[in-house]
Amino acid sequence: MYNQQYPPPGQYPGQYPPPAQGQYPPPQGYPPPNNSPYPPQGGQYQPPPPHGGYGGYGGGGPVELPGSSPYPPQGNYPPQNNSPYPPQGGYQSYGAPPPNSGYGAPPPGPPPPGPRPPQGQYGGQYGAPPPQQYGAPQYAPPPGGGGPPTQPSIGYGPPQIIQWDANPDAQTLRMAMKGLGTDEKALIRVLANKDPLQIEAIKAAYFRLFSRSLEKDIKSETSKYLELGLVSIISGPLLHDVTLLHSAMDGPGTKEKVLNDVLLSRSNADMKAIKGMYQHTFNRSLESDVKGDLSMKTERHFMIVLGACRAEDSAPVIPQAIDQDVMELYRATEGKVGTDEMLVCSILSTRNDNQIRAISQTYEQKFRRGLEDVLKREFSGHMREALLFQLRNAVDKYMHAATLLEDAMAGVGTKDQLLVSRVVRYHWDRQSLENIKGAYKQRYRKTLASRIRGETSGDYERLMVACVGE
């Protein structure tokens, strides 16, 4: 439970690939020995060899922390009868594969025969609304069905009461900020390794014990990137996402990398939670703000994403559906003069990671050309970067995360706001973080912590290194 160190010592050895539950890459290669282009039942798709790099993105403006807090009062959430969260029903770690299955593996047992069900038939309470409600084109319905909906990540569901005493940590935080001077190391020690539910418990205990806002006290006692990092942590993952989105679209220009980081490749449950909290916090819909900031076809791409029409993680990889998607992608890109951008956007925005991984490998087998190379050649600008994000995340999410972290530090000057947001985002799921660290070391031949130390300094450095578990 929560009275133990988080994560327990030695639980995640930091190996890449990780060894046990959620093994990555799967032990079974792709294609299987029988030369079939599809995996065996319980099929697992192997990511590309580690040397097949993706490279990083260039540039990207900073994301400023809003001057006034958009958060609800400390310890409070929207009322249950007007909750922006998806219905309660369990949690899984942020970014983690579905429990009780190998990483990248659809549910055991044969896939259901026959054609794919019509669009919108996902089953369960998270079923996708009609696409026209969000302005999504009538392209490429996802192969739905196949099991229960993906549960919201921890911190994205309804509030929970946990059996954990937050009072000692709340008292330590108050002592660190009371009187002359601030004990920044104590703030980092208390906050850097807590999960979202513990953070909420600490905020509530702080307000209950001292009748003070933890966020306001931290803002008054810290500054610069230490402040940004600590406020991002005590916001929790959902409010952090919402704040980043609003900052990215507030004022001239749109910080496209932030939109990609927060919105792409998210589960339907998390997407609905983000949209609900954005509406609750800023009194306007996320769709309307995105529409106002993006142009033409990129806007339509993100409307599909915001529609939360993604195949659930439990939806199986159906060979006939994969073949159909591959041929549609070919006809929309290489197989015609010009490019059917919206068909490509629709397929990559409405398939789950297992299906996209299968599509990518089948495309390369069939046409002797990587799907990533096709996207690079056929697209440009923000749409190109968004599609590459969706593809890379599905093919190898840990290596993709490693390249995003490196992107925030590469080149002249560190993109500090981007580094803070990405480190805080990945630190919530300790097991995935260990895999990301392993992928980073495999690709860049150095530890993530050592790279961060070389690009940051002082308490800012201490916070970032503590967040990645060093």
Side-chain angles (χ1 to χ4, degrees):
M1 188 62 84
Y2 291 101
N3 57 356
Q4 62 182 350
Q5 183 179 341
Y6 184 77
Q11 182 173 345
Y12 307 123
Q15 296 176 343
Y16 180 81
Q21 182 69 24
Q23 184 168 345
Y24 187 87
Q28 200 162 15
Y30 181 90
N34 63 5
N35 293 324
S36 166
Y38 306 106
Q41 296 309 320
Q44 295 148 326
Y45 290 86
Q46 188 174 13
H51 61 267
Y54 304 137
Y57 306 145
V63 180
E64 300 296 341
L65 193 68
S68 59
S69 171
Y71 311 121
Q74 294 292 334
N76 293 330
Y77 279 81
Q80 287 293 311
N81 60 358
N82 190 27
S83 173
Y85 303 101
Q88 190 166 8
Y91 299 86
Q92 69 183 69
S93 295
Y94 181 87
N100 303 322
S101 69
Y103 178 84
R116 293 177 290 175
Q119 189 165 3
Q121 293 185 2
Y122 295 81
Q125 55 192 327
Y126 299 110
Q132 62 269 22
Q133 180 177 346
Y134 298 97
Q138 300 290 328
Y139 289 131
T150 305
Q151 296 299 326
S153 303
I154 188 169
Y156 290 79
Q160 283 187 300
I161 304 297
I162 60 174
Q163 298 302 313
W164 180 73
D165 184 9
N167 288 349
D169 281 337
Q171 291 165 346
T172 300
L173 291 172
R174 182 69 190 121
M175 289 299 297
M177 295 184 283
K178 189 176 181 181
L180 294 176
T182 302
D183 186 350
E184 290 88 354
K185 292 180 181 178
L187 299 180
I188 294 168
R189 186 174 62 251
V190 169
L191 295 173
N193 66 346
K194 299 300 189 293
D195 70 28
L197 303 182
Q198 291 172 310
I199 290 293
E200 288 305 315
I202 289 171
K203 289 195 295 186
Y206 193 90
F207 185 78
R208 185 177 63 252
L209 292 173
F210 309 112
S211 299
R212 300 176 68 93
S213 160
L214 178 58
E215 180 186 334
K216 289 181 179 178
D217 281 356
I218 285 178
K219 283 184 173 182
S220 70
E221 296 292 330
T222 60
S223 62
K224 298 183 179 179
Y225 299 120
L226 175 64
E227 175 192 345
L228 178 62
L230 291 174
V231 171
S232 298
I233 290 171
I234 64 172
S235 300
L238 178 56
L239 288 172
H240 183 218
D241 279 351
V242 165
T243 305
L244 285 171
L245 287 172
H246 188 262
S247 301
M249 297 182 288
D250 189 28
T254 300
K255 300 169 183 70
E256 296 167 352
K257 291 189 181 186
V258 176
L259 296 186
N260 294 351
D261 282 1
V262 175
L263 295 177
L264 298 180
S265 304
R266 302 301 292 266
S267 70
N268 295 334
D270 286 2
M271 182 63 71
K272 291 176 182 179
I274 290 168
K275 292 196 299 182
M277 185 55 73
Y278 193 94
Q279 175 75 45
H280 174 84
T281 306
F282 301 110
N283 237 9
R284 51 187 293 122
S285 75
L286 179 56
E287 289 93 340
S288 64
D289 280 358
V290 170
K291 280 182 180 179
D293 262 66
L294 299 179
S295 59
M296 300 178 65
K297 291 183 178 179
T298 305
E299 174 195 302
R300 293 173 64 193
H301 182 189
F302 274 80
M303 288 303 103
I304 300 173
V305 170
L306 289 169
C309 299
R310 210 167 186 257
E312 301 293 351
D313 289 344
S314 57
V317 174
I318 302 172
Q320 298 91 333
I322 298 303
D323 271 345
Q324 180 179 336
D325 283 344
V326 166
M327 291 310 301
E328 286 179 346
L329 286 170
Y330 177 77
R331 287 192 290 264
T333 54
E334 298 183 280
K336 63 174 289 186
V337 177
T339 304
D340 187 345
E341 293 97 342
M342 299 320 301
L343 178 55
V344 178
C345 293
S346 180
I347 289 175
L348 292 183
S349 301
T350 57
R351 307 303 189 254
N352 66 29
D353 286 349
N354 297 334
Q355 293 162 351
I356 295 173
R357 192 178 307 119
I359 288 167
S360 175
Q361 295 184 352
T362 304
Y363 192 101
E364 185 161 4
Q365 285 184 337
K366 192 178 291 288
F367 299 110
R368 298 291 183 261
R369 186 176 293 105
L371 185 55
E372 178 166 337
D373 292 336
V374 174
L375 296 179
K376 287 178 178 178
R377 187 170 57 252
E378 298 281 337
F379 294 87
S380 62
H382 187 191
M383 181 180 286
R384 175 181 184 266
E385 298 306 316
L387 291 171
L388 289 172
F389 186 109
Q390 291 173 307
L391 176 63
R392 291 164 175 169
N393 185 79
V395 169
D396 188 339
K397 68 177 182 177
Y398 301 129
M399 189 63 75
H400 181 229
T403 62
L404 291 178
L405 288 165
E406 173 62 21
D407 170 59
M409 296 180 281
V412 179
T414 300
K415 309 171 192 76
D416 295 286
Q417 289 92 342
L418 198 59
L419 179 62
V420 170
S421 69
R422 286 173 175 173
V423 167
V424 170
R425 173 171 296 106
Y426 297 132
H427 102 288
W428 293 118
D429 181 353
R430 308 307 288 192
Q431 184 169 10
S432 284
L433 177 61
E434 293 304 317
N435 292 328
I436 292 167
K437 288 159 62 178
Y440 189 94
K441 187 172 184 180
Q442 186 180 77
R443 171 143 188 178
Y444 299 106
R445 304 303 177 196
K446 63 179 69 176
T447 66
L448 177 59
S450 67
R451 181 75 166 105
I452 290 174
R453 286 190 181 100
E455 295 292 328
T456 58
S457 62
D459 292 320
Y460 169 36
E461 172 194 331
R462 281 187 276 274
L463 176 61
M464 292 294 96
V465 171
C467 281
V468 299
E470 298 290 341

